[in-house]
Amino acid sequence: MDTQKVTVSDIRNAKNNRKLTMLTAYDYPLASLIDRAGIDMILVGDSVANVVLGLESTTQVGMHEMLHHAKAASRAVKNALVIGDMPYESYQVNPHESVKNAQRFIDEAKCDAVKLEWFDQCLEVTKEIIKAGISVMGHIGLTPQTADKLGGFKVQGKDAEAAQRLIKQALDLEKLGCFSLVLECVPDKIAEIITKKLKIPTIGIGAGAGCDGQVLVSYDMLGLFERFTPRFVKKYVNLSEQILNAVKTYKQEVVSGAFPAKEHTFSIKEEELEKLKGEKNG
Ligand code: KIV
């Protein structure tokens, strides 16, 4: 297996050459498996709020939680490009702190790049972070941190005017120097138009097959998140069911005495046991 570390240049150069793959990871074991499977990019997404921490909104996680998870994931990764997802408070509430916060993903969590969702001051903030020498992945379309301003969790760019706005956002982010762009919940034809207009790769989630690559939330595609499943998710395995069955079997075996068996047990030499019994110490 190729053990070369994926770089931002590799991601840029993949455009029109091969499809790119990205999945989210939030901890050491999953990041390690995803990396060993040869996925190009691992996103330590703020979706950790929903799928790991049981919160309602991604706006409920901050730098503390994101750095904690990013450190664990990047410790496991040898090859993939690791991208830290900047939490809402770190650049939307606090634009003046955004460069410092982006730098913490690189210095403390050893990420290779950061991702920012589109918002009103997106261009100013992105420009400053790139100026500081940090690689940025953009994110347009449905941006969960500001979904309330977009009318909820809905497909974006469904009329000509809205699609035109998305195209402009994409071109502006490319011009600033973003190395790649996530397109979330965008009609496939609009994603295709954006993909063709850009020189940087687009990574789609609910944006059809015309993007340069695809991303999914790992807990969705592994069947580990049961609260809801968006239409664009394909479940490749149902781990919830498998884990539930394994835990039920464990319970049964402990109750019945079938576990632990001989092979899970440590022994002591018979003579040592006899010696112990011979001693008058109990
Ligand atoms: O946080 C996340 O998981 C994301 C992906 C949906 C792209 O931003």
Side-chain angles (χ1 to χ4, degrees):
M1 189 177 149
D2 187 7
T3 52
Q4 287 280 305
K5 174 82 183 163
V6 177
T7 64
V8 163
S9 302
D10 295 332
I11 301 302
R12 283 180 178 275
N13 294 338
K15 178 102 184 175
N16 300 323
N17 287 320
R18 66 179 181 92
K19 289 277 187 184
L20 288 161
T21 52
M22 178 159 104
L23 281 174
T24 63
Y26 319 98
D27 60 26
Y28 188 97
L30 193 52
S32 175
L33 289 169
I34 291 172
D35 190 43
R36 281 152 57 196
I39 294 293
D40 296 301
M41 291 176 279
I42 291 181
L43 172 70
V44 186
D46 63 357
S47 51
V48 70
N50 311 113
V51 301
V52 174
L53 302 177
L55 297 167
E56 286 299 322
S57 163
T58 55
T59 59
Q60 291 171 281
V61 286
M63 282 301 288
H64 176 75
E65 290 92 341
M66 290 308 298
L67 287 176
H68 175 78
H69 287 278
K71 282 179 192 175
S74 58
R75 247 174 242 136
V77 176
K78 293 191 170 65
N79 300 335
L81 191 85
V82 181
I83 301 159
D85 206 6
M86 291 195 64
Y88 179 70
E89 65 164 36
S90 73
Y91 69 108
Q92 299 209 30
V93 177
N94 250 326
H96 51 284
E97 291 281 302
S98 57
V99 176
K100 214 157 70 184
N101 286 326
Q103 196 67 54
R104 292 187 70 193
F105 275 99
I106 310 297
D107 294 343
E108 297 175 37
K110 309 293 175 218
C111 291
D112 303 300
V114 296
K115 178 172 82 60
L116 265 72
E117 291 184 11
W118 181 269
F119 76 116
D120 290 345
Q121 289 165 270
C122 190
L123 295 177
E124 293 107 278
V125 167
T126 303
K127 187 174 167 190
E128 289 308 312
I129 297 175
I130 292 175
K131 212 165 84 184
I134 298 167
S135 301
V136 175
M137 172 180 264
H139 181 160
I140 63 169
L142 173 58
T143 43
Q145 293 173 358
T146 45
D148 50 339
K149 289 190 185 155
L150 303 172
F153 285 77
K154 291 187 178 146
V155 178
Q156 301 296 308
K158 281 184 80 169
D159 58 53
E161 201 184 317
Q164 196 54 54
R165 271 200 304 275
L166 287 181
I167 294 169
K168 179 161 173 22
Q169 290 171 1
L171 289 168
D172 285 347
L173 287 170
E174 173 175 79
K175 202 165 156 200
L176 282 184
C178 285
F179 72 94
S180 178
L181 196 58
V182 168
L183 303 180
E184 180 164 354
C185 287
V186 173
D188 58 351
K189 298 277 185 237
I190 302 305
E192 246 178 79
I193 291 171
I194 294 173
T195 299
K196 287 203 176 108
K197 280 187 182 286
L198 295 184
K199 292 181 197 68
I200 56 169
T202 57
I203 311 296
I205 175 162
C211 296
D212 297 304
Q214 297 292 324
V215 56
L216 282 176
V217 169
S218 54
Y219 275 50
D220 286 338
M221 58 85 78
L222 296 173
L224 263 176
F225 182 61
E226 294 181 296
R227 217 154 66 193
F228 63 88
T229 306
R231 175 169 156 204
F232 55 74
V233 169
K234 178 174 175 182
K235 276 194 191 183
Y236 285 82
V237 61
N238 192 345
L239 284 188
S240 295
E241 198 178 291
Q242 291 187 24
I243 291 171
L244 193 62
N245 287 336
V247 173
K248 282 182 180 169
T249 306
Y250 165 74
K251 183 185 169 181
Q252 276 166 10
E253 291 195 355
V254 170
V255 170
S256 72
F259 178 83
K262 197 101 187 119
E263 65 268 28
H264 311 116
T265 308
F266 303 105
S267 61
I268 182 170
K269 282 188 184 141
E270 207 47 51
E271 67 218 55
E272 292 301 322
L273 207 54
E274 286 309 315
K275 237 195 272 175
L276 178 74
K277 283 179 186 164
E279 283 169 11
K280 291 201 181 338
N281 58 4

